Amino acid sequence: MDTRAIVEPSPGILDPAARVASVDIVIPVLNEERALPGCVRTLTRYLDGGFPLPWRVTIVDNGSTDATWPLARALAGELENVHARRLDVRGRGAALRAAWQDSPADVVAYMDVDLSTGLGALFPLVASVASGHSELAVGTRLAHGARIRRSLRREVVSRGYNALLRYGFGVRFSDAQCGFKAVRADVARPLMGKVEDDSWFFDTELLLLAEHNGLRVHEVPVDWIEDADSRVDVVRTAVDDLRGLARVAWSMALGRAEVEVARPEPEPEHPDAVTLGPRAATMARFTSFAAIGTFSVILYALTYLLLRESWSPAAANLCALVLAGIVNVEANRRWTFGPRAAPRFSALAFFSTATYGLFTLLRLSRTRK
C-alpha cells in the first residue's frame, strides 16, 4: 500500500483574478498609409490568439501628410483595444515620449510598423519586464541565436555603430537600434526626463542612460527581415547618432546623467541566510581598487621599459601612461565601481593624459630653446 501523502495545489496558485501586468504596444508612424492596416491587423490577430497579458495597441501618427491618420482613426474605431493619437511634431522619439508618458499600462513597448521583427519574440521581450526581473528589454539582431536578412550596407553600419557603443561606452547590450523594445512604465518616465533626442537617437540615449544608472537591460534574440520600403535615411541617421553620442558622453562626464529610479536593493530570499555586511563589501571594493592599481603600475613600467629602447623618454612615458590609464579605467568600471562611474573616470583619464601631454610638449620646447 502506498502511504505517501498526496498534496493538492492551493487554488490561489492558479487564481485567474491575480493581478498581472498590462502592456501598451506603441506603433509610431509617419506617412505609412501602405503599411499601417496590415501591421495593426496582423498584430491584433496575433495578440487575440493567446497573448497572456492584458494589452493595448496605440498608433501614434506624428505629422503624416498622407492618409495615415484617417486610417489610424478607422482602425481604432473598428478594432477593440486599438487606440490612436496624433502629434504635430515629427520624430520617433517624440511619438514614443508622448505615448509612454500618458500610457496607463504597467509596461510600455514599441515596434516598427513594417513588422520586420518576428512577433514570436514579443512575449519573451515583455515577460522579463512584466515579471520585475528587468527594467528594460530589447530585441537584438546581433546576439547568438538571432536570424536576420538585410543588406550589406545596413549590416556594416549597424555592427560598426554598436561596436562604437560597446567599446566607447562599455555597454553590455549588443543592439541599440532594433525597433523592438519594452520598458517598465515607472522607469521609462524618469528616464525620458533626461532623454533630449526626439528622433532616431532616442532609443540609444534611453539605453545608455539606463545602463549608466545601473538598470538591468534584458536582450531577446529576434528574427528580423529588412523592409526595402523603410523610411530610414541610414547615412543621415548615423551622423545624427554620432552627434548624440558625443552629447551623452559629455553629459555623463559632468555627472548630469543620473536618474532617480525606484529600484530596491537585492535582499536574501532565505529567512536564515547569513550575508556580508556593508563593511565587508567596502573592503572588497578597496581590495579590488588596490589590486587594479598595482597591476596598472606594473603595466606602465613594463610598457615604458619596452618602448624606451626605440622611442624618446617623453614619447614612451606618454604611451605607457595612456595604456595603463585605459586598462585601469576599464578594469575599475567592470569590477570596482560599476558602469555609472566609467564615464567620469574616462573623462578624468583623458583630461589627465591631455594635460600631461601638453606639459611634456611645453617642457620639450623650452629645453630646445
Side-chain angles (χ1 to χ4, degrees), residues 99-155:
W100 287 358
Q101 193 72 39
D102 300 335
S103 177
D106 301 301
V107 177
V108 290
Y110 96 91
M111 63 178 59
D112 290 333
V113 70
D114 58 12
L115 294 183
S116 293
T117 306
L119 293 177
L122 181 57
F123 181 64
L125 181 88
V126 171
S128 63
V129 178
S131 66
H133 175 268
S134 304
E135 285 76 34
L136 297 88
V138 299
T140 175
R141 299 160 294 185
L142 303 179
H144 179 72
R147 299 181 297 180
I148 63 174
R149 193 163 71 219
R150 62 178 170 183
S151 64
L152 178 61
R153 183 191 187 195
R154 290 283 292 268
E155 180 76 6

Side-chain angles (χ1 to χ4, degrees), residues 296-313 315-321 323:
S296 300
V297 171
I298 296 173
L299 177 64
Y300 163 81
L302 292 176
T303 304
Y304 175 79
L305 290 175
L306 289 174
L307 295 178
R308 180 65 184 86
E309 298 297 325
S310 55
W311 291 14
S312 68
N317 192 27
L318 180 60
C319 183
L321 179 65
L323 177 61

Side-chain angles (χ1 to χ4, degrees), residues 43 51 71 74 97 103 120 146 162 185 188 196 222 240 262 275 292 308:
L43 176 58
F51 193 75
L71 283 171
R97 186 191 302 275
S103 177
N162 284 287
E196 297 182 20
V222 299
D240 290 341
T275 61
I292 292 171
R308 180 65 184 86

Side-chain angles (χ1 to χ4, degrees), residues 57-108:
V57 173
T58 300
I59 307 167
V60 183
D61 175 15
N62 57 326
S64 295
T65 56
D66 61 2
T68 297
W69 175 237
L71 283 171
R73 288 196 301 174
L75 289 166
E78 173 191 347
L79 301 172
E80 188 179 2
N81 295 337
V82 174
H83 175 67
R85 63 180 298 175
R86 182 175 172 84
L87 299 178
D88 294 329
V89 296
R90 292 191 174 189
R92 183 173 71 179
L96 295 178
R97 186 191 302 275
W100 287 358
Q101 193 72 39
D102 300 335
S103 177
D106 301 301
V107 177
V108 290

Side-chain angles (χ1 to χ4, degrees), residues 253-278:
L254 296 179
R256 297 174 180 172
E258 279 70 24
V259 179
E260 293 298 327
V261 178
R263 187 170 186 255
E265 292 296 322
E267 296 290 342
E269 298 285 353
H270 198 287
D272 300 322
V274 179
T275 61
L276 296 176

